[in-house]
Structure formats: structure tokens, C-alpha cells
Amino acid sequence: MYTPDLVKKLQHETSQWLAGKKMHGPVETLRDLLRFHEYRYYVQNDPLISDFEYDTLYKQLEQYEKEHPGSVTPDSPTQRVGKGLIKDFPKVQHLVPMLSLDNSYNADDLLDFDRKARELSGLDSIEYCVEPKFDGASISLIYEHDLLSRGATRGDGEIGDEITPNIKQIRSVPLSAKFSDYGIDQVEIRGEVLMTKNNFKAYNDALMEEGLPPLANPRNAAAGSLRIKDTAEVGRRNLEAFLYHVSYVSTGKKPSVPETHSAMLEMLWNVGFRSPKKEMKVLKGIDAVIGHVQEFEKQRDDLGYEIDGMVIKVNDLKLQDKLGMTSHHPRWAVAFKFKARQGTSKLLSVEYQVGRTGAVTPVAKIEPVQVGGVTVSSISIHNEDYIREKDLKLGDTILIERSGDVIPQIVKSFAELRTGAEKKIKFPTHCPVCDSELYKPADEAVWRCVNINCPAQIVEGIIHFVSKDAMDIRSFGEANVRRFYELGFLKDIPGVYTLPWDEIRKMDGFGEKSIAKLQQAIEDSKKQPLHRVIYALGIRYVGETTAKTLANAVEHLLQFTDYSEEQLQQLEDVGVKVAKTVYEFFHNKNNIQLLRELEKRGVQLNNEKKNLATGGNLSGQTFLFTGTLAKLKRSAAEELVEQNGGSILSGVSAKLNYLVVGEDAGSKLEKAKKIATIKIITEDDFLKLLG
Ligand code: IVH
């Protein structure tokens, strides 16, 4: 238990080690320090030292253990490191079967649950402990004599898969925990492994960038990650674990095992677990419980992870025993399920959309269904492989899910509900817009229309050009681009600057006021900074960050015609893939012609800002932000970097100087830790750098 005095002592010890004064102190104190800082970081979310300082301590321990291999203990912080591949997950029996929970959906269900519990117990009012129902993959852990001895999946409830090496990759699961302080020799505990919303989004973004289909929800991501056979990869997924139930204890002499569930959660917290101690609430009587769960549902989206309800547990453990279980669920607990973010629907037809890069995306039209408060009637089904993997057929009944702020996904199709009338989805061989033959490189999952004159690509390209993050021509919008294109008023990107206003004036919905507004917005866009122009061009793989790097490299955009692929790769954050597409773009005469046209019509291709920003506090330094910042918005922080002469990279690489870490930092942090030259700093450190 980390009391304030102990924390002070450990912090003092930390400084001593970091100052090199204790380089030869007893190695177990160094391990204790590392365990303490892991706990502060991963369990309490409140680190006391920087990542760099943690790494310094960790390296000292690694070095010591290398020189004294006999000294390594099974719960040494170095023993999390994944070694090689797991062959198979052995089957193991849980000490106590992992039962499921009965569900409730409204106040009446809860009143019912409470009435039965009161009848069985003979009490007038019952004390409950209410906690979140974590939406992840359930696990069971065994600790023997304070050491983690086994981690397993739920399996069928009786028998699960042993996944101990993967469990050790979860930093919020301690390798040892002082259950002995409570007189406990052996304990089996239950919990849920989660992927935070931020990590899930980053993980899905990375999949999609590779042209791979995203996962439907963080629960599937967590469950899948636990069964990966490459342990090191499990570590990279940044999983978290909440432990919420003690299912078995065996005690030695003088046991002092808690007598309520809430005290159990306190105990788990005290010995080093991320239990829902802070999220739980002890309430007397079911009315208070009903009020609380309804209130908590409103905060669901503010949490960094997904929950699908609350669990209401009788707090007194003796009373729990008295109430007992059915064969399926305990009578002392019930799950209160929040409004579903899943729904079933029917896959009616598939339409194919051609994007600005020519990528053909199948979009399923489905029977409209309410999912988490919005009506979903069409849903991307990504690519041909995805259709095959999910075994989708026209006419299928499908399960839809909308997790947090992620776009809706198909979870699965119900093959067992097929009638035989379902039809195979046939991917087109030709572009649905211009009818050119589609093409798919062997190593990609996406079919493309490669006709550069394909109307769909032109229109999508113009829509992107005028969009908010690009040239930001506010009142233009997608609908006007399509309308003007169909009427022949707008044929290409430069055409944005030579619209036939006399014709447009004659159209419905275009009064003098709206025309003046649109004209002004178009005029204003000519002065957009160069990085916006670059981004607006829609060069493949050039996002907003890369566009800024490119803009900072030149005084005039056409200077890129003199750059070789190798020279482009010298730029911070520009890898082989980006260099190739940028090189190709600036060596295509149609594109050069387009740029000259734009310039002729007044669009600024000069880099006005260049040189202005050099000499700032951050001059020449590269930055990347990860996690949620507390004081600044991410976009504002990035702008500050640029205003002070620094630049933003889009990923972690050896070219990065600073990684600024906010809350719930994900894989970028893990990656950065492996590159010694990157300085990992907090938001406050960053503000100090700015002066
Ligand atoms: S208690 C014997 N508490 O929900 C009772 N379960 O639908 C053990 N779950 O199988 C379960 N959060 O995987 C409990 N705070 C929580 C939970 C929780 C999520 C999961 C668990 C269980 C499932 C039942």
C-alpha cells in the first residue's frame, strides 16, 4: 500500500538513483521503484517521473541483471518483455466457473431483482455496490504467494485458454501483488481487458492506412489481441485491464480478508490493480441505484474506454453467499445494460463509390436501423477481402455496431438465418462511373479506376480541394460542386476560379447575397497558406502534416519539380512511399499545367511564411503529440510549434526530436521509447520550451 509517506520516500529514492548516487544499491529497491512508477503510470494514470527517467532506471536494472543473471526474479519488471512466439494456448480449468450475469434494461427489471434479493434475505433494504460494466474481453488471474502464476481467457466459463505471457504484456497487471498483507496465499481474480477508445482509433487508422479493413469495436480488438501468438505485438497494442471480482481465496495464518465487495475492490487497488475503486459507488436501496445508473449512462461517452452498462452487486459478501447462484448467473448481481449501440438489419444492395484517388469502395445499403441514437441506412464494407472475410451476401441479416465516435461497422452476418435466396456480392470489373477496367495491384486490397479523366475522380478531387481543411471555401460544399459539374460550369480544379457567374445567377437558390458570399470565399481562398494548397491537391499519402513539411521546404511550390525522390526523403517525416507519390505528382505535366493555371488565376503558390518562423524557440526542432492534452487543443499546440519555427511530424521516427505526451498516450509512446534520441516530454515541459 503506497501511503503518502512511502510515496515521498520512493520519490526521494528515485532522485538518488537518477542522480547516480545509488548505482550500486540493493537491486530489489530498484525493482520496487520501477514497480511503483509503473503503478503510478498505468494504474493511477498519474506518473511522477518522465518516461525518459523511467527508461533510465529500467536500463540500470537491465544492465545489472545482464551482469548477474542469477539474481533475476520472476516478478522483475524486466520479465514482462515478450520472448518469441507462443505455440499453443494450453486449456486450463478455472478454480471457480466464470458465470455470466443476468441482464436488466430498465427500472422495473432492477426493482424485480431487488425484490427477489430482499425476499430471499429477509431484509428491508439492501446495500449495493455499483460499478461500470466494462466492454472488453474477460480474463481470470491466479496469484500464488503474491506472484502472478496464471492468466486465462474465459473460454466456456469452465475451461479457458492459458495466456500468461500475453497477460504479462498488460502493464496495469502487476507481476506480483502483496495479497499476503491480507493473509491470502492463493487468489483467483476476474476482470476485463480493454483497448481504450484512443488506442482503438489509432489502431484502426493504421489498419486502414495499410488498406486493411478496420475492426468493428474495441472489444473485438481486445479479445483478438489477447490471442496473438507474438507476445511482443500484444505489448504494442497497449491493452489495459480492470479487475473487479475476487472469485476464490485460500488463506494462511491470521487472514484479514475483506467482508464486502467494495472493500475487495479497495484491496485490489491497494495491492496494485486497476480496480474500479474510483468508479464504484456504494448505495443503500434500489431507488438510489436506479438514479445512479441512469445518471452514469449520460457520462458514458466521457470515459476513455467503452462500457456497455453497469453491474449492481450485493455488497455484503456473506449475503452474497446466502443468495447463491443459479446454474447460469449469481442471484447477488445483475447487469444493467445501456441503450444498445448494436442493431440488426438486412443487407439490401451494394453500391460502389469512386473516390478521388480512384479507389472503388463498396457501400452496403441496408434496411434503416437505429444504432446508438442515429439511423444507419448505408455502411461502408471497405473492400472485396472484407466482403469475403465477413461472408456477406445480399439479403443477409447483419449485426451493426456503432462504437463511440467510430463510424458504424458490420460486426457479422447471421449465416444461420439464411433462406437460400441470398445472393453473392459480385465486385464490378469496370468503373461504375466511367466504365474503364478496374485495376488492383497484387499487394493491395483495393480496386482502382486508373482513368485520370474519370468524372467521379474529378468531382471528388474538387470537393476535396474546396473542403474545410483544404482551401476552406465555405459556402461551396459538395452539392454545389456536383451541380456545377453536371451543368458543365466546372470541369476541373482551376475552374473553381472562373465560374460562369451570369449562368449561376439564373439558377434556383442563388440570390445576389449567396453569390456574393461564395465569390468572397473563393477570393479569400487565393491567399491560403501554401500547406493548405498542397493538401488541397490531394496527392496520395500527403495528409495535412506532410503538406506542412513540404510547404516548409520550399519558397515556391514549383521548386518541387527539381527534387529527386532521394531529396524528398531527406525531408523530415517523408518516407519512401510519400516521396514516390510526391515525385510522380511533380513530374506529371498535367499537374504542372494545373498548378500554373491556379497561379495565373491568383492562387498563392509562394511560401510567404518561410523564414518568418525560423529563429523561434523551437527552430529546426520536430514535434509530435500523442494522447489527450489537458491545457491545449491538439491543433493549437501544433500551430504553436510552427509559429515558433518547429515542425510537426506525422509518425515516430529517428527524425523526431520531441514526443509530447498527454493522457492515454498510445502506441506512439511505446515506439518512441525505443528510439533513444527522442525526448519524451509532458505538456508542461512543452509549454516551458516555448518559454
Ligand atoms: S462481475 C460472478 N463485474 O460482463 C460475477 N462482470 O455479462 C462475475 N463484466 O462475464 C462478473 N464488467 O465479463 C462483473 N464490473 C463487472 C464487469 C463484468 C464487465 C463482464 C464479465 C461478465 C459479463 C457478463
Side-chain angles (χ1 to χ4, degrees):
M1 169 99 180
Y2 293 116
T3 59
D5 278 347
L6 180 56
V7 171
K8 218 188 237 165
K9 186 171 158 267
L10 289 166
Q11 188 59 357
H12 176 71
E13 274 279 324
T14 305
S15 323
Q16 299 273 304
W17 280 85
L18 285 171
K21 289 183 186 150
K22 287 273 182 93
M23 292 293 264
H24 304 290
V27 68
E28 200 49 32
T29 44
L30 181 51
R31 293 197 184 109
D32 280 342
L33 284 185
L34 283 161
R35 286 186 197 112
F36 166 64
H37 289 297
E38 279 185 0
Y39 174 75
R40 292 295 299 219
Y41 189 99
Y42 292 103
V43 178
Q44 297 205 318
N45 241 329
D46 184 18
L48 283 175
I49 55 174
S50 72
D51 294 354
F52 176 74
E53 289 167 327
Y54 176 87
D55 288 345
T56 310
L57 293 179
Y58 189 91
K59 279 179 196 144
Q60 284 183 27
L61 177 60
E62 251 182 352
Q63 185 61 29
Y64 181 91
E65 290 183 348
K66 210 161 120 196
E67 287 162 12
H68 307 86
S71 78
V72 181
T73 55
D75 62 338
S76 171
T78 56
Q79 297 308 294
R80 287 190 192 275
V81 175
K83 291 191 196 86
L85 298 179
I86 301 173
K87 278 213 184 73
D88 267 313
F89 301 115
K91 298 279 176 216
V92 288
Q93 179 151 23
H94 300 302
L95 299 185
V96 174
M98 291 176 80
L99 292 190
S100 193
L101 292 172
D102 205 10
N103 287 331
S104 67
Y105 297 92
N106 51 44
D108 283 347
D109 293 347
L110 287 178
L111 289 169
D112 236 26
F113 163 76
D114 175 62
R115 187 182 41 76
K116 283 186 202 143
R118 279 187 294 111
E119 276 169 15
L120 280 170
S121 64
L123 293 170
D124 290 341
S125 166
I126 293 180
E127 184 177 87
Y128 292 107
C129 181
V130 186
E131 66 206 36
K133 185 171 184 313
F134 303 101
D135 196 8
S138 42
I139 53 160
S140 152
L141 307 177
I142 297 179
Y143 284 76
E144 283 170 306
H145 300 291
D146 293 348
L147 275 185
L148 171 64
S149 62
R150 191 181 93 178
T153 63
R154 179 177 187 278
D156 64 4
E158 299 264 353
I159 291 176
D161 289 339
E162 203 238 84
I163 50 162
T164 318
N166 285 354
I167 291 290
K168 286 186 178 171
Q169 295 298 317
I170 305 171
R171 301 305 191 101
S172 51
V173 173
L175 299 181
S176 60
K178 281 252 174 244
F179 285 107
S180 53
D181 284 355
Y182 293 81
I184 296 174
D185 292 340
Q186 193 193 20
V187 59
E188 186 183 47
I189 54 181
R190 303 271 157 85
E192 210 82 0
V193 170
L194 309 170
M195 191 180 267
T196 60
K197 290 178 191 170
N198 276 347
N199 281 338
F200 175 66
K201 205 165 177 305
Y203 181 66
N204 260 355
D205 285 349
L207 284 179
M208 289 194 280
E209 210 166 286
E210 294 286 306
L212 297 168
L215 297 176
N217 53 49
R219 177 179 61 258
N220 289 1
S225 300
L226 282 182
R227 301 185 51 83
I228 294 178
K229 294 194 169 165
D230 174 0
T231 335
E233 174 59 22
V234 182
R236 286 192 284 275
R237 300 276 172 102
N238 290 307
L239 301 171
E240 305 207 4
F242 274 95
L243 278 301
Y244 48 66
H245 181 64
V246 176
S247 52
Y248 174 84
V249 290
S250 88
T251 53
K253 280 180 230 140
K254 291 201 191 152
S256 57
V257 184
E259 291 181 355
T260 60
H261 175 70
S262 52
M264 280 289 194
L265 295 183
E266 299 252 5
M267 173 184 82
L268 289 176
W269 180 268
N270 289 343
V271 299
F273 292 90
R274 196 163 175 198
S275 80
K277 176 187 123 154
K278 289 188 178 151
E279 295 79 3
M280 74 174 178
K281 197 151 188 169
V282 176
L283 295 162
K284 190 128 177 82
I286 200 68
D287 292 340
V289 170
I290 292 169
H292 177 61
V293 296
Q294 287 171 344
E295 217 28 61
F296 209 94
E297 181 164 10
K298 294 183 195 149
Q299 298 164 32
R300 175 184 192 180
D301 289 333
D302 302 339
L303 297 172
Y305 47 86
E306 289 287 347
I307 64 173
D308 59 341
M310 307 288 282
V311 183
I312 296 110
K313 298 174 179 173
V314 168
N315 202 24
D316 180 347
L317 298 181
K318 281 208 188 80
L319 184 52
Q320 283 193 2
D321 272 347
K322 193 170 167 193
L323 293 169
M325 333 236 177
T326 69
S327 61
H328 169 253
H329 62 258
R331 287 196 198 90
W332 46 263
V334 69
F336 176 81
K337 301 277 276 188
F338 288 161
K339 229 183 322 78
R341 281 176 167 169
Q342 286 194 335
T344 49
S345 171
K346 249 200 162 71
L347 201 168
L348 303 175
S349 60
V350 178
E351 286 178 5
Y352 297 88
Q353 287 178 355
V354 186
R356 81 187 142 78
T357 60
V360 178
T361 308
V363 177
K365 299 285 150 186
I366 63 173
E367 263 173 16
V369 56
Q370 281 275 328
V371 189
V374 297
T375 307
V376 183
S377 56
S378 67
I379 192 162
S380 172
I381 46 176
H382 308 291
N383 60 47
E384 204 183 14
D385 294 347
Y386 185 84
I387 296 174
R388 197 175 332 111
E389 274 157 30
K390 295 264 168 184
D391 182 27
L392 301 176
K393 290 206 159 78
L394 294 176
D396 264 350
T397 306
I398 47 174
L399 183 66
I400 309 283
E401 173 155 338
R402 197 178 68 94
S403 266
D405 47 6
V406 179
I407 51 165
Q409 306 280 344
I410 294 184
V411 182
K412 62 173 186 171
S413 65
F414 294 96
E416 62 275 26
L417 297 181
R418 285 187 184 143
T419 60
E422 293 75 18
K423 293 217 165 64
K424 197 172 176 251
I425 298 170
K426 271 205 212 114
F427 212 87
T429 53
H430 289 76
C431 174
V433 177
C434 72
D435 207 34
S436 330
E437 196 170 351
L438 298 180
Y439 167 77
K440 180 164 88 83
D443 56 342
E444 285 191 21
V446 177
W447 286 96
R448 280 175 203 283
C449 168
V450 287
N451 169 18
I452 51 162
N453 294 317
C454 172
Q457 291 180 52
I458 295 170
V459 170
E460 294 299 328
I462 303 172
I463 291 171
H464 173 74
F465 185 83
V466 302
S467 67
K468 184 164 165 284
D469 294 331
M471 297 302 267
D472 193 20
I473 309 183
R474 292 273 159 129
S475 34
F476 217 125
E478 193 175 327
N480 282 334
V481 173
R482 291 193 194 285
R483 241 167 121 193
F484 293 167
Y485 184 84
E486 271 158 30
L487 291 166
F489 297 171
L490 178 59
K491 293 194 178 71
D492 51 18
I493 288 175
V496 167
Y497 297 97
T498 49
L499 285 170
W501 293 110
D502 289 341
E503 298 294 327
I504 293 171
R505 248 182 216 103
K506 290 184 212 148
M507 288 168 64
D508 276 351
F510 281 96
E512 262 329 300
K513 236 183 178 167
S514 60
I515 288 194
K517 209 168 132 201
L518 184 53
Q519 282 176 329
Q520 189 59 50
I522 292 173
E523 198 52 37
D524 290 349
S525 78
K526 294 179 181 171
K527 293 180 212 77
Q528 286 289 18
L530 187 59
H531 66 86
R532 277 183 175 266
V533 180
I534 298 177
Y535 175 66
L537 293 171
I539 306 169
R540 204 155 160 218
Y541 305 127
V542 177
E544 288 173 86
T545 311
T546 311
K548 284 179 183 164
T549 307
L550 292 174
N552 278 338
V554 289
E555 266 125 31
H556 189 280
L557 189 52
L558 285 168
Q559 285 171 356
F560 279 121
T561 53
D562 296 332
Y563 272 63
S564 66
E565 280 184 54
E566 290 69 31
Q567 281 170 314
L568 286 165
Q569 279 177 42
Q570 298 302 307
L571 298 175
E572 288 149 5
D573 208 22
V574 175
V576 182
K577 210 165 72 172
V578 179
K580 186 164 185 287
T581 53
V582 173
Y583 178 85
E584 282 168 3
F585 184 91
F586 286 99
H587 287 80
N588 173 314
K589 64 177 189 319
N590 291 334
N591 292 335
I592 304 305
Q593 177 68 20
L594 178 141
L595 291 176
R596 294 222 161 94
E597 282 295 323
L598 284 176
E599 194 168 39
K600 218 162 75 193
R601 292 166 202 208
V603 176
Q604 186 77 252
L605 300 188
N606 282 315
N607 183 359
E608 289 206 319
K609 265 201 190 159
K610 188 152 167 78
N611 302 326
L612 272 185
T614 52
N617 275 358
L618 312 182
S619 179
Q621 302 295 312
T622 59
F623 285 79
L624 180 62
F625 294 86
T626 181
T628 315
L629 302 180
K631 296 181 180 146
L632 294 169
K633 269 198 169 164
R634 174 87 62 101
S635 53
E638 290 179 349
E639 208 134 286
L640 278 172
V641 169
E642 277 154 10
Q643 282 165 6
N644 285 278
S647 52
I648 303 289
L649 302 193
S650 67
V652 175
S653 71
K655 291 170 188 165
L656 182 64
N657 299 123
Y658 290 94
L659 181 75
V660 186
V661 180
E663 202 174 312
D664 275 335
S667 55
K668 284 182 191 151
L669 175 57
E670 292 306 314
K671 201 166 164 195
K673 281 183 185 168
K674 299 196 181 88
I675 303 175
T677 50
I678 300 177
K679 292 179 212 70
I680 298 172
I681 61 171
T682 63
E683 186 178 359
D684 283 337
D685 297 336
F686 169 69
L687 292 170
K688 271 183 222 146
L689 272 184
L690 285 171

